[in-house]
Amino acid sequence: MTTRGRTSSTSRHVAAIEAAIDDWVQQGLVESTPWYRDGYRPLIETPLPSGKGVYFEPAAVERVLKFFLLLRHLIGRHVAQKFILLDWQVRYLIAPVFGLLRFNEEIGRAVRVIRTVWFEIPRKNGKSTLCSGLALYLFAADREAGAEVYAAAGDRAQAGIVFNAAANMARGCAALRKRLGKRGIQRKLLEHPHTNSIMRALSSEGLRQHGLNVHGGLVDEVHVHKNPDVIDALETGTGSRAQPLIVFITTADDGDDTSVYATKREEVERLAGRHARDETIYGVVFAADTQAEGYDPYAEETLRQANPGFGVTVLADYLRGKAEQARRSPRQQNRYLRLHLNVRTKQTTRWFQLERWDRGAATVPLAWWKGRRAVGGLDLSSTSDLTAFVFVARTEDGGYALRPMFWLPEERADEMERDHGLPFAEWVKAGLIRLTEGNIVDYSAVRDDIVAEARKLGVTMTEIAYDPWNATETVQHLEKAGYTLVPVRQGWASLSAACKALERAVLGSTDDKPLVRHGGHAILRWNADCVEVRDDGNGNIRPVKPHRGTSTKRIDGIAATVTAITRLVAPEQPQPEPGIRIIGRRAA
């Protein structure tokens, strides 16, 4: 089983939640499942809130658990049975969201810390039913006067699935039926006569205007949303509520990086990778680990790992049958991967696992570089974005030492921080990124900084490899400074060997012997977490640059690294010289 992506804090909150779940199972408030008992984990989880004043309140969670016990399942083999939440549902949704509180002086009471949830899971794991139950709780039991709760989706039919299930649950619950009365449960509206709260379906087709006063929003199947209108209406409608909650419950998309889904998923990945921090957002992704050693999409172990409801909410025989169908029919494979393993079925694949990349966080001392032969890799940005340069030198164990540099126009820094949700101001203060005057990259400052850094390191820079796009003037300047410039086209033939060399080094790294040493540079780490590669069908790979107009991902530092390594894997390059060996996290 995989623990990849288990990036949640191991703080006291995690321990308290897991201990509480054990108690609730014993009390019959929560149902135990093999997936949770056997130690499976989601592929991705963002850190739990752990800032000042945050505490875990079990009683707040128990209130939700007991509310669900009033409801009944409506369909399938569990029909008419009590809605007992499962241990994994509580651990990765209910307990963090409803149990982590902080006192708010402005409001005068403790309120929930988490305001937005991303809950991504394969089909048939009880997603829509859970969504309906949560909507009912926010509408009828969350102690919010005049609550407005919306079951939202990309179209009217999908939005109706969650609303109709919630309405039927309300009809089947004696306590709710009595509280709401005959007029409280209508065909398109639930209305609470005592609190003036409402619940209704909401879709882009029915959205007339932004003017909602949202306490709760349950957004089903984000990947089918063609535009962000409904989501924007929900998110901008929460401003006057003390503890609003927007929950996105979805299955993976087909890999369109320009979609609404992609924007939200990127945000969750940034938080999970600790490139940014926002305690009000919590995200969990249940999916197969396609990068796990020996990964087999049709194996039962893969199905178990990706589906927390295996054998409980989704029958094992059903999933085995879907796996066999996909094995026999290539046409069924992408559908199977997306719906039942929650794998985004795009032609590019994520390149590095952060846990492997982080094995190279050893600091490479300045003294190590002195007298070394190194190559440089230059990735010039468009005039208003990141520019990257990376010094790369071979180490005696066959790996690579990296020293990256980044530049950004000064007038773009605040905008980049706002648009990307990343701490650019902190990175500037830490010296990880250099600002150039104005609102476009000052290439002359870039050239001068490269020359100055090379002198500071004391390296013999044998070559600088560069993407020839928009590089003519910079190349001429560096050539006048005495450097040899080598153009490297960004195609499969030019980059594949270097990509494979870097990939082997990252995959071959251990804690005791990291083969890529980058000093844990935060911006390069973010780039490594963003980078995806594409295969040309003949075994050649190359990085794929994200669409700058729609994606917040950036890979400039990795692109510069790969470009540099093309010169180190060229057959005419000499072998590394003997010298200071870097072992573990210190120089020897």
Side-chain angles (χ1 to χ4, degrees):
M1 70 197 67
T2 181
T3 57
R4 175 179 168 237
R6 191 181 184 185
T7 59
S8 65
S9 169
T10 56
S11 68
R12 65 184 186 280
H13 299 320
V14 174
I17 288 172
E18 293 180 348
I21 290 172
D22 291 341
D23 290 341
W24 292 327
V25 169
Q26 294 297 320
Q27 296 173 40
L29 295 176
V30 171
E31 183 177 339
S32 175
T33 65
W35 188 90
Y36 185 80
R37 288 197 308 269
D38 292 344
Y40 289 94
R41 295 292 182 265
L43 183 68
I44 297 172
E45 184 189 6
T46 61
L48 293 181
S50 58
K52 183 178 180 181
V54 178
Y55 66 96
F56 177 62
E57 178 52 72
V61 181
E62 287 186 19
R63 179 177 172 83
V64 182
L65 303 181
K66 291 176 179 177
F67 175 83
F68 269 81
L69 288 176
L70 298 174
L71 307 177
R72 294 291 185 271
H73 286 282
L74 301 174
I75 59 175
R77 58 198 177 99
H78 300 294
V79 66
Q81 295 181 16
K82 288 184 179 180
F83 198 152
I84 304 177
L85 286 166
L86 307 177
D87 44 17
W88 59 269
Q89 294 173 330
V90 177
R91 167 61 183 86
Y92 295 107
L93 178 59
I94 304 300
V97 171
F98 292 93
L100 293 175
L101 310 178
R102 178 190 280 128
F103 186 82
N104 186 305
E105 293 184 359
E106 185 178 10
I107 298 172
R109 61 184 174 90
V111 296
R112 292 190 288 264
V113 179
I114 295 170
R115 306 292 181 88
T116 301
V117 177
W118 181 267
F119 197 78
E120 188 175 326
I121 193 167
R123 288 278 180 89
K124 304 301 180 182
N125 281 274
K127 174 173 56 64
S128 294
T129 305
L130 178 61
C131 200
S132 300
L134 279 173
L136 274 181
Y137 178 84
L138 293 171
F139 157 69
D142 204 28
R143 296 170 173 165
E144 179 74 11
E148 292 183 17
V149 178
Y150 297 94
D155 57 55
R156 187 179 292 109
Q158 188 68 42
I161 292 174
V162 172
F163 175 81
N164 291 336
N168 288 333
M169 281 184 180
R171 292 186 185 95
C173 173
L176 273 178
R177 197 168 59 246
K178 179 180 179 181
R179 186 71 59 88
L180 300 181
K182 291 183 178 180
R183 295 184 179 181
I185 306 176
Q186 303 173 32
R187 189 168 65 89
K188 294 184 177 181
L189 175 72
L190 298 184
E191 190 170 11
H192 200 302
H194 304 293
T195 65
N196 296 317
S197 297
I198 63 167
M199 177 184 168
R200 58 162 50 103
L202 182 69
S203 70
S204 57
E205 296 166 318
L207 187 63
R208 293 290 180 267
Q209 60 184 359
H210 291 202
L212 310 179
N213 188 359
V214 181
H215 174 62
L218 287 298
V219 186
D220 195 21
E221 299 297 14
V222 181
H223 63 89
V224 303
H225 285 249
K226 295 180 175 61
N227 61 64
D229 292 351
V230 171
I231 292 171
D232 286 347
L234 290 175
E235 292 181 328
T236 59
T238 61
S240 64
R241 296 291 182 175
Q243 50 177 8
L245 182 63
I246 307 296
V247 181
F248 299 92
I249 300 188
T250 188
T251 303
D253 74 342
D254 58 3
D256 179 3
D257 285 336
T258 66
S259 66
V260 178
Y261 166 97
T263 301
K264 293 294 183 182
R265 174 67 182 262
E266 283 181 17
E267 183 176 42
V268 169
E269 290 176 358
R270 283 198 302 273
L271 295 171
R274 287 181 165 83
H275 309 301
R277 184 183 180 191
D278 188 337
E279 291 192 328
T280 68
I281 300 174
Y282 176 63
V284 181
V285 177
F286 299 89
D289 186 355
T290 60
Q291 294 181 310
E293 186 176 352
Y295 164 70
D296 178 357
Y298 310 112
E300 182 167 312
E301 176 63 16
T302 304
L303 288 166
R304 287 180 180 274
Q305 182 252 315
N307 291 272
F310 187 92
V312 180
T313 62
V314 54
L315 293 174
D317 284 348
Y318 169 82
L319 289 176
R320 294 187 192 110
K322 291 297 182 182
E324 286 305 312
Q325 286 178 13
R327 191 198 300 270
R328 292 192 304 267
S329 172
R331 291 191 306 105
Q332 296 288 335
Q333 187 176 65
N334 277 358
R335 180 178 174 82
Y336 164 75
L337 292 173
R338 186 173 70 82
L339 297 183
H340 301 298
L341 298 185
N342 202 44
V343 172
R344 299 185 72 188
T345 52
K346 53 186 176 180
Q347 294 179 334
T348 57
T349 56
R350 192 169 184 160
W351 201 8
F352 301 124
Q353 294 181 15
L354 270 187
E355 61 202 51
R356 291 187 180 274
W357 181 263
D358 288 343
R359 290 171 182 169
T363 298
V364 182
L366 285 175
W368 184 88
W369 291 93
K370 189 172 183 179
R372 290 271 168 179
R373 286 195 178 104
V375 295
L378 177 62
D379 186 77
L380 292 173
S381 69
S382 60
T383 56
S384 61
D385 216 331
L386 280 177
T387 283
F389 183 90
V390 181
F391 293 90
V392 182
R394 295 299 297 265
T395 56
E396 296 76 10
D397 52 15
Y400 303 94
L402 313 180
R403 188 173 180 87
M405 303 172 70
F406 293 90
W407 295 264
L408 182 68
E410 184 175 31
E411 294 181 13
R412 280 275 289 152
D414 291 343
E415 183 182 346
M416 289 284 284
E417 180 154 342
R418 183 182 65 251
D419 292 348
H420 290 69
L422 294 167
F424 279 90
E426 291 182 18
W427 290 343
V428 170
K429 188 175 180 180
L432 300 179
I433 190 168
R434 304 167 190 232
L435 298 181
T436 67
E437 291 185 5
N439 60 2
I440 62 173
V441 175
D442 183 349
Y443 290 144
S444 65
V446 171
R447 298 188 295 261
D448 292 344
D449 287 345
I450 291 171
V451 172
E453 188 73 6
R455 290 171 180 165
K456 174 183 173 182
L457 293 176
V459 297
T460 299
M461 194 148 58
T462 58
E463 295 176 329
I464 296 177
Y466 67 96
D467 177 354
W469 178 85
N470 201 31
T472 303
E473 183 183 350
T474 302
V475 166
Q476 291 173 351
H477 183 96
L478 291 170
E479 285 178 334
K480 288 179 181 179
Y483 296 109
T484 300
L485 277 292
V486 180
V488 177
R489 300 289 177 184
Q490 303 295 293
W492 277 289
S494 302
L495 298 181
S496 185
C499 286
K500 290 179 178 179
L502 180 59
E503 183 180 81
R504 284 193 299 270
V506 173
L507 293 177
S509 292
T510 64
D511 292 333
D512 295 330
K513 186 182 177 182
L515 297 179
V516 179
R517 299 175 176 92
H518 44 71
H521 194 286
I523 302 177
L524 191 64
R525 182 178 185 269
W526 167 47
N527 291 172
D529 196 29
C530 291
V531 69
E532 296 177 337
V533 290
R534 188 186 298 271
D535 190 312
D536 69 349
N538 296 312
N540 298 311
I541 60 173
R542 64 175 175 86
V544 179
K545 287 202 172 186
H547 190 285
R548 291 186 181 270
T550 57
S551 176
T552 60
K553 294 182 177 181
R554 294 294 180 267
I555 68 166
D556 309 87
I558 297 299
T561 301
V562 170
T563 300
I565 292 176
T566 62
R567 307 311 304 152
L568 292 176
V569 298
E572 69 271 12
Q573 291 299 312
Q575 293 299 310
E577 303 170 346
I580 299 173
R581 296 180 63 82
I582 302 175
I583 303 173
R585 297 187 176 272
R586 64 184 186 278

Short mmCIF file of all heavy atoms in Angstrom, two decimals, residues 181-213:
data_model
loop_
_atom_site.label_atom_id
_atom_site.label_comp_id
_atom_site.label_asym_id
_atom_site.label_seq_id
_atom_site.Cartn_x
_atom_site.Cartn_y
_atom_site.Cartn_z
N GLY A 181 -42.18 20.08 8.77
CA GLY A 181 -43.60 20.15 8.45
C GLY A 181 -43.87 19.83 6.99
O GLY A 181 -42.96 19.61 6.19
N LYS A 182 -45.16 19.81 6.62
CA LYS A 182 -45.53 19.41 5.27
C LYS A 182 -45.00 20.38 4.22
O LYS A 182 -44.65 19.97 3.12
CB LYS A 182 -47.06 19.32 5.17
CG LYS A 182 -47.66 18.17 5.97
CD LYS A 182 -49.16 18.10 5.76
CE LYS A 182 -49.76 16.92 6.52
NZ LYS A 182 -51.23 16.83 6.33
N ARG A 183 -44.98 21.66 4.53
CA ARG A 183 -44.54 22.65 3.53
C ARG A 183 -43.02 22.81 3.49
O ARG A 183 -42.52 23.53 2.65
CB ARG A 183 -45.20 24.00 3.83
CG ARG A 183 -46.71 23.97 3.67
CD ARG A 183 -47.30 25.36 3.88
NE ARG A 183 -48.76 25.35 3.70
CZ ARG A 183 -49.52 26.43 3.80
NH1 ARG A 183 -48.96 27.61 4.11
NH2 ARG A 183 -50.82 26.34 3.62
N GLY A 184 -42.36 22.19 4.42
CA GLY A 184 -40.90 22.37 4.49
C GLY A 184 -40.14 21.52 3.50
O GLY A 184 -38.96 21.80 3.22
N ILE A 185 -40.79 20.48 2.95
CA ILE A 185 -40.11 19.61 1.99
C ILE A 185 -40.85 19.71 0.67
O ILE A 185 -41.87 19.04 0.44
CB ILE A 185 -40.07 18.15 2.49
CG1 ILE A 185 -39.47 18.08 3.89
CG2 ILE A 185 -39.27 17.28 1.53
CD1 ILE A 185 -39.47 16.69 4.52
N GLN A 186 -40.35 20.55 -0.20
CA GLN A 186 -40.97 20.77 -1.49
C GLN A 186 -40.14 20.13 -2.60
O GLN A 186 -39.03 19.63 -2.36
CB GLN A 186 -41.12 22.28 -1.74
CG GLN A 186 -41.92 22.99 -0.66
CD GLN A 186 -41.92 24.49 -0.83
OE1 GLN A 186 -41.87 24.99 -1.95
NE2 GLN A 186 -41.97 25.23 0.28
N ARG A 187 -40.66 20.16 -3.81
CA ARG A 187 -40.00 19.48 -4.92
C ARG A 187 -38.64 20.10 -5.25
O ARG A 187 -37.69 19.40 -5.58
CB ARG A 187 -40.90 19.51 -6.16
CG ARG A 187 -40.37 18.64 -7.30
CD ARG A 187 -41.44 18.48 -8.36
NE ARG A 187 -41.76 19.74 -9.01
CZ ARG A 187 -41.11 20.19 -10.10
NH1 ARG A 187 -40.13 19.49 -10.63
NH2 ARG A 187 -41.48 21.34 -10.65
N LYS A 188 -38.54 21.42 -5.11
CA LYS A 188 -37.28 22.09 -5.46
C LYS A 188 -36.71 22.92 -4.31
O LYS A 188 -35.75 23.66 -4.49
CB LYS A 188 -37.49 23.02 -6.66
CG LYS A 188 -37.83 22.28 -7.95
CD LYS A 188 -37.91 23.25 -9.11
CE LYS A 188 -38.19 22.50 -10.40
NZ LYS A 188 -38.25 23.44 -11.58
N LEU A 189 -37.30 22.75 -3.13
CA LEU A 189 -36.86 23.58 -2.01
C LEU A 189 -37.11 22.88 -0.68
O LEU A 189 -38.17 22.28 -0.48
CB LEU A 189 -37.63 24.92 -2.03
CG LEU A 189 -37.39 25.88 -0.86
CD1 LEU A 189 -35.99 26.49 -0.94
CD2 LEU A 189 -38.45 26.98 -0.84
N LEU A 190 -36.13 22.95 0.22
CA LEU A 190 -36.33 22.59 1.62
C LEU A 190 -36.33 23.89 2.40
O LEU A 190 -35.47 24.75 2.20
CB LEU A 190 -35.22 21.68 2.12
CG LEU A 190 -35.06 20.30 1.46
CD1 LEU A 190 -33.97 19.49 2.15
CD2 LEU A 190 -36.37 19.54 1.46
N GLU A 191 -37.29 24.03 3.31
CA GLU A 191 -37.42 25.27 4.07
C GLU A 191 -37.67 24.94 5.53
O GLU A 191 -38.57 24.16 5.86
CB GLU A 191 -38.55 26.12 3.50
CG GLU A 191 -38.60 27.51 4.07
CD GLU A 191 -39.58 28.40 3.31
OE1 GLU A 191 -40.36 27.86 2.48
OE2 GLU A 191 -39.58 29.61 3.54
N HIS A 192 -36.87 25.55 6.42
CA HIS A 192 -36.99 25.30 7.85
C HIS A 192 -37.85 26.40 8.47
O HIS A 192 -37.43 27.57 8.49
CB HIS A 192 -35.60 25.28 8.50
CG HIS A 192 -35.57 24.60 9.82
ND1 HIS A 192 -36.36 24.98 10.88
CD2 HIS A 192 -34.82 23.54 10.26
CE1 HIS A 192 -36.10 24.19 11.91
NE2 HIS A 192 -35.18 23.31 11.56
N PRO A 193 -39.05 26.09 8.98
CA PRO A 193 -39.97 27.14 9.45
C PRO A 193 -39.48 27.85 10.71
O PRO A 193 -39.90 28.97 10.97
CB PRO A 193 -41.27 26.38 9.71
CG PRO A 193 -40.84 24.98 9.99
CD PRO A 193 -39.63 24.74 9.12
N HIS A 194 -38.60 27.23 11.48
CA HIS A 194 -38.17 27.82 12.75
C HIS A 194 -36.91 28.67 12.60
O HIS A 194 -36.74 29.66 13.31
CB HIS A 194 -37.93 26.73 13.80
CG HIS A 194 -39.13 25.86 14.02
ND1 HIS A 194 -40.30 26.31 14.60
CD2 HIS A 194 -39.35 24.54 13.72
CE1 HIS A 194 -41.18 25.33 14.65
NE2 HIS A 194 -40.63 24.24 14.13
N THR A 195 -36.01 28.29 11.69
CA THR A 195 -34.76 29.03 11.52
C THR A 195 -34.73 29.86 10.24
O THR A 195 -33.77 30.60 10.00
CB THR A 195 -33.56 28.06 11.49
OG1 THR A 195 -33.67 27.22 10.33
CG2 THR A 195 -33.51 27.21 12.75
N ASN A 196 -35.76 29.71 9.40
CA ASN A 196 -35.81 30.38 8.10
C ASN A 196 -34.66 29.98 7.18
O ASN A 196 -34.26 30.74 6.29
CB ASN A 196 -35.82 31.91 8.27
CG ASN A 196 -37.06 32.42 8.98
OD1 ASN A 196 -38.16 31.96 8.69
ND2 ASN A 196 -36.87 33.32 9.93
N SER A 197 -34.14 28.81 7.40
CA SER A 197 -33.07 28.29 6.54
C SER A 197 -33.68 27.63 5.31
O SER A 197 -34.82 27.14 5.35
CB SER A 197 -32.22 27.27 7.30
OG SER A 197 -31.59 27.88 8.40
N ILE A 198 -32.91 27.63 4.23
CA ILE A 198 -33.38 27.00 2.99
C ILE A 198 -32.27 26.13 2.40
O ILE A 198 -31.09 26.31 2.67
CB ILE A 198 -33.80 28.05 1.93
CG1 ILE A 198 -32.59 28.91 1.54
CG2 ILE A 198 -34.95 28.90 2.43
CD1 ILE A 198 -32.81 29.75 0.30
N MET A 199 -32.69 25.19 1.57
CA MET A 199 -31.76 24.40 0.78
C MET A 199 -32.37 24.20 -0.60
O MET A 199 -33.56 23.89 -0.72
CB MET A 199 -31.49 23.04 1.42
CG MET A 199 -30.57 22.17 0.59
SD MET A 199 -30.35 20.52 1.29
CE MET A 199 -29.55 19.70 -0.09
N ARG A 200 -31.56 24.40 -1.64
CA ARG A 200 -32.06 24.20 -3.00
C ARG A 200 -30.90 23.80 -3.91
O ARG A 200 -29.74 23.91 -3.55
CB ARG A 200 -32.73 25.46 -3.53
CG ARG A 200 -31.86 26.70 -3.56
CD ARG A 200 -32.46 27.78 -4.48
NE ARG A 200 -33.85 28.05 -4.22
CZ ARG A 200 -34.31 29.11 -3.57
NH1 ARG A 200 -33.45 30.00 -3.09
NH2 ARG A 200 -35.59 29.29 -3.41
N ALA A 201 -31.25 23.30 -5.08
CA ALA A 201 -30.25 22.97 -6.10
C ALA A 201 -29.83 24.24 -6.82
O ALA A 201 -30.61 25.18 -6.96
CB ALA A 201 -30.82 21.96 -7.09
N LEU A 202 -28.58 24.24 -7.29
CA LEU A 202 -28.06 25.41 -8.00
C LEU A 202 -27.16 24.93 -9.13
O LEU A 202 -26.27 24.10 -8.93
CB LEU A 202 -27.26 26.29 -7.04
CG LEU A 202 -26.68 27.58 -7.62
CD1 LEU A 202 -27.80 28.57 -7.93
CD2 LEU A 202 -25.68 28.19 -6.64
N SER A 203 -27.40 25.44 -10.32
CA SER A 203 -26.56 25.09 -11.47
C SER A 203 -26.32 26.34 -12.30
O SER A 203 -26.98 27.36 -12.12
CB SER A 203 -27.22 24.02 -12.33
OG SER A 203 -28.36 24.56 -13.01
N SER A 204 -25.39 26.23 -13.24
CA SER A 204 -25.11 27.37 -14.11
C SER A 204 -26.34 27.71 -14.96
O SER A 204 -26.56 28.86 -15.33
CB SER A 204 -23.91 27.08 -15.01
OG SER A 204 -24.13 25.90 -15.77
N GLU A 205 -27.16 26.70 -15.25
CA GLU A 205 -28.36 26.93 -16.04
C GLU A 205 -29.39 27.74 -15.28
O GLU A 205 -30.16 28.51 -15.85
CB GLU A 205 -28.96 25.59 -16.47
CG GLU A 205 -28.05 24.79 -17.39
CD GLU A 205 -28.51 23.35 -17.53
OE1 GLU A 205 -28.89 22.75 -16.50
OE2 GLU A 205 -28.50 22.83 -18.64
N GLY A 206 -29.40 27.55 -13.94
CA GLY A 206 -30.39 28.24 -13.13
C GLY A 206 -29.86 29.46 -12.41
O GLY A 206 -30.59 30.13 -11.68
N LEU A 207 -28.58 29.75 -12.58
CA LEU A 207 -27.97 30.87 -11.87
C LEU A 207 -28.38 32.19 -12.53
O LEU A 207 -28.06 32.45 -13.68
CB LEU A 207 -26.44 30.73 -11.90
CG LEU A 207 -25.64 31.74 -11.07
CD1 LEU A 207 -25.97 31.59 -9.59
CD2 LEU A 207 -24.15 31.55 -11.31
N ARG A 208 -29.05 33.03 -11.80
CA ARG A 208 -29.54 34.28 -12.37
C ARG A 208 -28.63 35.46 -11.99
O ARG A 208 -28.39 36.34 -12.78
CB ARG A 208 -30.97 34.56 -11.90
CG ARG A 208 -31.97 33.57 -12.43
CD ARG A 208 -32.18 33.75 -13.94
NE ARG A 208 -33.14 32.80 -14.46
CZ ARG A 208 -32.83 31.63 -14.97
NH1 ARG A 208 -31.57 31.25 -15.04
NH2 ARG A 208 -33.77 30.82 -15.43
N GLN A 209 -28.17 35.44 -10.75
CA GLN A 209 -27.38 36.58 -10.32
C GLN A 209 -26.58 36.20 -9.08
O GLN A 209 -26.91 35.27 -8.38
CB GLN A 209 -28.27 37.77 -10.00
CG GLN A 209 -29.27 37.49 -8.87
CD GLN A 209 -30.21 38.64 -8.65
OE1 GLN A 209 -30.11 39.66 -9.31
NE2 GLN A 209 -31.13 38.51 -7.72
N HIS A 210 -25.50 36.96 -8.88
CA HIS A 210 -24.73 36.80 -7.65
C HIS A 210 -25.43 37.64 -6.58
O HIS A 210 -25.55 38.83 -6.70
CB HIS A 210 -23.29 37.30 -7.85
CG HIS A 210 -22.51 36.41 -8.76
ND1 HIS A 210 -21.15 36.38 -8.75
CD2 HIS A 210 -22.88 35.51 -9.69
CE1 HIS A 210 -20.71 35.52 -9.65
NE2 HIS A 210 -21.75 34.98 -10.23
N GLY A 211 -25.89 37.04 -5.56
CA GLY A 211 -26.58 37.74 -4.50
C GLY A 211 -26.91 36.73 -3.41
O GLY A 211 -27.79 36.95 -2.59
N LEU A 212 -26.19 35.62 -3.43
CA LEU A 212 -26.43 34.55 -2.48
C LEU A 212 -25.78 34.90 -1.14
O LEU A 212 -24.75 35.57 -1.08
CB LEU A 212 -25.85 33.24 -3.00
CG LEU A 212 -26.23 32.83 -4.44
CD1 LEU A 212 -25.54 31.53 -4.81
CD2 LEU A 212 -27.73 32.70 -4.56
N ASN A 213 -26.39 34.42 -0.07
CA ASN A 213 -25.83 34.58 1.27
C ASN A 213 -25.54 33.17 1.80
O ASN A 213 -26.31 32.60 2.55
CB ASN A 213 -26.82 35.32 2.16
CG ASN A 213 -26.23 35.70 3.50
OD1 ASN A 213 -25.08 35.38 3.80
ND2 ASN A 213 -27.02 36.37 4.33
#
